[in-house]
Every structure is written in C-alpha cells, then in structure tokens.
Amino acid sequence: MIEVVCNDRLGNKVRVKVNSDDTIGDLKKVLSAQIGIKAEKIRLQKSYSIFKDHITLEDYEIHDGDGLELYYN
C-alpha cells in the first residue's frame, strides 16, 4: 500500500491509499469517492505529463508519499 497526495491548487490536498499495481483509473475512482466529483471529470498529472487511466502507478513510477496535480475537467 502506498499513500499518494493529490493537490488541486485551490488549497485542497487529498491523501489516498492505493496499491502500486492499481491503475490511474482506480486511483481516480477512490479520489472521486473522497471528494465527491465524478472520476471522468478528474485529470491527474505531474509537471506536464497527463496520466492515462489504463496505466498502473508502478509503470509511472509513483511511490509512497508522491504528490500529483489534481485538475477538474
């Protein structure tokens, strides 16, 4: 289990516990349950790299304590 911190740049930081073999889509579903916004409306990225739903956190080399940028479409 790893903990990922998602920051929406509006002052909200959400901490989510997921497995490293979960996909970005799985992470979005957990986030949507916590913040109350549909998973389809969430975009996760780091710097200028937008993460695709079908790729795992492990493949993106996201580790425990990493921070991601959270945007709403």
Side-chain angles (χ1 to χ4, degrees), residues 10-56:
L10 298 173
N12 298 326
K13 281 189 180 178
V14 182
R15 294 182 180 273
V16 180
K17 289 194 182 275
V18 289
N19 293 316
S20 59
D21 60 347
D22 286 346
T23 63
I24 293 293
D26 296 334
L27 174 59
K28 285 182 179 182
K29 288 176 188 172
V30 174
L31 271 171
S32 70
Q34 283 193 7
I35 60 178
I37 293 177
K38 291 183 182 178
E40 302 86 39
K41 299 280 186 187
I42 295 173
R43 184 178 82 223
L44 293 172
Q45 66 184 62
K46 191 167 191 174
S47 297
Y48 294 102
S49 301
I50 299 173
F51 296 136
K52 299 188 185 309
D53 287 354
H54 63 281
I55 300 180
T56 65

